[in-house]
Amino acid sequence: MIIVMQPAAKEEEVQHVMTRLESAGLGVHLSKGQFRTIIGAIGDEELVRNLGLEALPFVEKVLPITKPFKLVSREFKAEDSVFKVGNCTIGGSQLVLMAGPCAVESEEQLLAAAEGVKAAGAQILRGGAFKPRTSPYSFQGLEEKGLKLLARVREKTGLPIVTEVMDQHTVKLVAEYADIMQVGARNMQNFYMLRELGKLQKPVLLKRGLSATIEEWLMAAEYIMAGGNHQVILCERGIRTFESYTRNTLDLSAVPVVKYLTHLPVIVDPSHGTGNWRFVPAMSRAAVAAGADGIMVEVHPQPEKALCDGAQSLTIERFTSLTKELSQLAAVMGKYI
Ligand code: PEP
Ligand code: MN
C-alpha cells in the first residue's frame, strides 16, 4: 500500500505515520518527492487498512499498489532511482557506457580492451569470468582467476567492473571483486540466487530472460529488492522470437515501458540483442534515442580471436567511433557521457 501525505504535512506527521506502520510490523519505505511525501508500506494490506490512517488530517489518501511488483513500481517511488558506481551515476543524466570483452581471457586481452574502451569514453568495464555457455565443450571462463584479472585491471585503469554471477553459491565470491553483479538472461529466474543478491548492498544488473515477459522480469527485480537491496539496474538484451537473421530480437519498446512502470535505471545490450557487430552501432543509437540510461557493448581487441562472442564484438576502433556518435545523441537527449 502507499500512503500519500498532504503536501503541507510536517516532518513529525510523516514520522508519526511511519511509526504506526512499523509498530504494526510493516516494512516502510519513504519517498520524498518535490511536492509530496509518499510512504510505501510493505506487508499485509489488511494490516495497513486496519490502521485507519486515512482519518488523519495530514494523510491525503491510502492506496493499494495495483501492480504485482511493488518496490519496483513507480507507484511506490515516483522519482527515478540513481545509483553511484565509482565516479559515475546510473539512472540520472549521465549516459553510462559499459564495454569490454564477453569473457576475460588473459591479462593482456583484458587490459588492451579496458584501456581502449576507457580512452573512447566508457565508464565501466564488462567481462565475464563465469560464462553460461550453451555447449559444455565451449570455453567456460577463467572463474576466480578471471575475477582476479578484473580486479587487477580495475586497479590499473580505475574502471569499475561488471561481471556475471551464475549461482547462489558464488554470490559472495563474485561480490568480493565486482562493482556491479550481473545476472545473465539464463538466470533471471534463479530465485535462490536472486535472494542471495537481495542481501547485498551492491548494484545488480538484471538481464531480461530469453523468453521473459516484462512482468516476469520486473518480478525478478522485486525478489532482489524484497531482500533489501534496492540497487537494481534492468538490462534489455533481446528476446527469442521466430526471427533468425539476428541472434535475438532486441525489444527496444521495453525501454519506455519499463521507464513508465518502474523507477529503476534501464540499459540496453545491443551485442546479445543482435549477435552481429554490424548492427550494434545502429541499435546502440536507437537505445539512446528510446531513453535508455546506458548501453552495454562487447568490445574485443581482436574479435576474430575471441574465445566467446567474437562475431558480435566491436573492435576498439569501431567502439571509439560509436561513442563519438553517442555523445552527440546524448546531448540531444539532455544527457552527457
Ligand atoms: C553476457 O553478457 O556475456 C551474456 C552471457 O549475456 P546474456 O546473459 O544476456 O546472454
Ligand atoms: Mn557475450
Side-chain angles (χ1 to χ4, degrees), residues 247-263:
R247 181 174 176 184
N248 291 289
T249 296
L250 189 63
D251 179 12
L252 284 181
S253 64
V255 174
V257 171
V258 157
K259 282 265 164 203
Y260 171 70
L261 291 172
T262 89
H263 50 86

Side-chain angles (χ1 to χ4, degrees), residues 143-267:
E143 304 190 341
E144 190 168 1
K145 184 169 170 242
L147 295 174
K148 288 194 160 71
L149 291 179
L150 281 162
R152 201 172 309 156
V153 170
R154 169 177 51 201
E155 215 162 281
K156 286 192 176 159
T157 61
L159 290 176
I161 51 185
V162 52
T163 194
E164 181 162 351
V165 56
M166 273 178 31
D167 65 45
Q168 76 264 33
H169 308 294
T170 39
V171 165
K172 277 209 178 79
L173 173 71
V174 177
E176 280 173 33
Y177 295 91
D179 298 286
I180 303 177
M181 307 285 284
Q182 177 173 329
V183 177
R186 289 154 193 82
N187 269 310
M188 187 203 82
Q189 283 186 319
N190 181 341
F191 298 114
Y192 286 110
M193 182 169 83
L194 298 178
R195 279 195 209 145
E196 286 305 308
L197 290 164
K199 295 178 192 163
L200 302 178
Q201 286 307 323
K202 204 176 257 262
V204 176
L205 181 103
L206 179 65
K207 288 194 148 193
R208 182 176 179 181
L210 302 165
S211 308
T213 63
I214 288 175
E215 189 159 304
E216 286 162 343
W217 186 21
L218 298 183
M219 291 309 287
E222 188 80 15
Y223 262 87
I224 301 168
M225 294 181 76
N229 184 358
H230 286 207
Q231 300 186 67
V232 179
I233 303 158
L234 298 165
C235 177
E236 164 62 42
R237 48 76 74 204
I239 48 175
R240 185 162 289 190
T241 68
F242 51 80
E243 183 50 66
S244 57
Y245 273 101
T246 46
R247 181 174 176 184
N248 291 289
T249 296
L250 189 63
D251 179 12
L252 284 181
S253 64
V255 174
V257 171
V258 157
K259 282 265 164 203
Y260 171 70
L261 291 172
T262 89
H263 50 86
L264 298 173
V266 187
I267 70 154

Side-chain angles (χ1 to χ4, degrees), residues 3-6 13 16-17 20 51-62:
I3 294 92
V4 183
M5 301 297 289
Q6 291 285 3
E13 293 166 339
H16 174 83
V17 173
R20 296 263 311 263
L51 291 175
L53 296 171
E54 232 156 9
L56 296 168
F58 40 84
V59 170
E60 186 177 303
K61 52 193 170 191
V62 178

Side-chain angles (χ1 to χ4, degrees), residues 69-145:
F69 40 89
K70 313 286 179 196
L71 300 166
V72 165
S73 79
R74 266 222 199 263
E75 290 170 73
F76 188 79
K77 181 171 180 277
E79 68 278 13
D80 287 341
S81 284
V82 182
F83 312 128
K84 201 147 178 58
V85 179
N87 292 327
C88 75
T89 50
I90 306 181
S93 47
Q94 186 166 25
L95 182 75
V96 181
L97 307 179
M98 304 182 185
C102 176
V104 176
E105 298 168 12
S106 67
E107 182 161 357
E108 301 69 53
Q109 170 248 17
L110 188 63
L111 189 60
E115 284 173 341
V117 301
K118 184 183 176 183
Q123 308 98 335
I124 294 177
L125 174 67
R126 67 145 285 147
F130 292 92
K131 293 305 304 174
R133 304 304 301 276
T134 300
S135 165
Y137 308 117
S138 302
F139 174 60
Q140 303 287 308
L142 297 180
E143 304 190 341
E144 190 168 1
K145 184 169 170 242

